[in-house]
Amino acid sequence: MLQIALIGSSHKEETLLLSTALHTGRRNQVKIRSSYGGTIRNVAHNLGLMKLAPNFCTKLGNDDASVQLWNQLNNLGVLMFGPTVDLPTPKKVTILPPDGQPTVFWDRPDEFTFQPDDLLPHAVFAQADLCLTDIKNDLVLSQLTKKSPHTKWILSHHIPDKNILVDIYGLVLNYEDALTLGNPSEFERICYRLCEFGPKFVIINLNFQGIYLYTNHNGAHYPTRYQESGYYNGCYSAFLSGFVAGLACQTSTEIATGLGLDAAALTYKTADLINPEIAELLHH
């Protein structure tokens, strides 16, 4: 089993589940679900449930919420690292109507964004086999990759400068990222050009249409495995979790993609960001 390291943001999460469409200027009946979120934090949680014991570096606030977040992941076997910011934990509020299209509000100070002068546990990343991050600051990414030259770095939702792509193992892009480079009919050419600089694979999240995977000079579409209606919130983190878990088990990129889609389908069934059933993903 390969060792996994993660670096990304964490926050408090409140999801307001509406029973009907949102009506402004009048009362709306809602159910409130409180949890902790952050794409990479959710991945750490899922991998902890799978007993893969990842290392996770995140910026935490100086309050009870961050202590609870730390303890929650630590109890799952996630080894935590990261600087403390002398501010309350960031907060995200998501309004989720019956059609599943969320509206998001943020309270996240800039201090919680990783910066080049942050003191980071570079030895942790250097000792890992795989590292997943959603950091978008190229100066920080350059420091991370240069100090861990043997680690396979996977970037989420970011296309870095070409001189950083040389040190990147793979890219997982959202649909909007890919559209900045060309239209869908050009995705294979776009991925080919990105891989020329270094990455071994490029994944494009097509949302409800599934995943486009380009690897070994071939592109393929993998449809979603959702059944009936559900909740898309949390599915992307679940996909990343299943995908990274597959790579940690040293499966092929194609098989890892299938595991990612299975994980997303599990999470789609619940309004929560985490579905505990993901613990059994690798045993299916």
Side-chain angles (χ1 to χ4, degrees), residues 23-223:
H23 298 285
T24 57
R26 71 184 224 194
R27 290 183 178 180
N28 293 269
Q29 188 172 7
V30 301
K31 292 182 179 179
I32 301 176
R33 294 178 182 266
S34 298
S35 61
Y36 294 100
T39 297
I40 306 301
R41 192 225 71 91
N42 294 343
V43 173
H45 193 139
N46 285 328
L47 295 179
L49 288 171
M50 289 184 251
K51 301 191 183 306
L52 295 182
N55 296 319
F56 177 39
C57 177
T58 190
K59 283 191 171 184
L60 294 171
N62 193 6
D63 59 2
D64 290 343
S66 282
V67 173
Q68 293 168 9
L69 188 156
W70 179 292
N71 289 336
Q72 182 189 62
L73 293 179
N74 185 66
N75 290 338
L76 292 172
V78 178
L79 191 58
M80 301 283 291
F81 299 89
T84 298
V85 178
D86 195 18
L87 291 169
T89 301
K91 184 176 181 180
K92 176 185 177 184
V93 177
T94 301
I95 301 175
L96 199 59
D99 64 8
Q101 299 300 318
T103 302
V104 177
F105 300 92
W106 276 102
D107 178 13
R108 182 172 59 188
D110 291 341
E111 287 86 347
F112 287 92
T113 302
F114 285 100
Q115 301 294 336
D117 57 352
D118 288 333
L119 184 61
L120 300 178
H122 290 285
V124 172
F125 307 122
Q127 293 173 14
D129 299 297
L130 300 168
C131 189
L132 172 69
T133 184
D134 58 0
I135 289 175
K136 296 176 175 58
N137 185 311
D138 279 2
L139 289 177
V140 177
L141 287 173
S142 180
Q143 291 176 355
L144 289 168
T145 56
K146 296 303 181 186
K147 293 183 178 181
S148 52
H150 303 297
T151 302
K152 295 179 177 178
W153 282 89
I154 301 170
L155 305 188
S156 168
H157 282 192
H158 181 55
I159 304 171
D161 190 76
K162 294 175 183 177
N163 66 333
I164 298 174
L165 274 176
V166 174
D167 299 315
I168 301 303
Y169 181 63
L171 299 173
V172 185
L173 309 177
N174 63 23
Y175 191 62
E176 291 72 23
D177 294 330
L179 288 179
T180 64
L181 302 177
N183 61 57
S185 66
E186 301 175 293
F187 280 174
E188 183 169 356
R189 178 186 61 82
I190 291 167
C191 293
Y192 170 80
R193 291 182 61 184
L194 288 171
C195 287
E196 280 190 311
F197 293 102
K200 301 300 181 185
F201 67 84
V202 177
I203 289 174
I204 300 174
N205 177 18
L206 304 176
N207 300 322
F208 289 99
Q209 301 304 313
I211 292 293
Y212 180 82
L213 168 67
Y214 182 89
T215 188
N216 297 322
H217 302 289
N218 288 299
H221 173 239
Y222 292 74

Side-chain angles (χ1 to χ4, degrees), residues 49-51 259 266 275-284:
L49 288 171
M50 289 184 251
K51 301 191 183 306
L259 285 169
L266 285 172
N275 185 343
E277 294 178 26
I278 206 169
E280 301 300 319
L281 181 71
L282 299 179
H283 303 295
H284 291 169

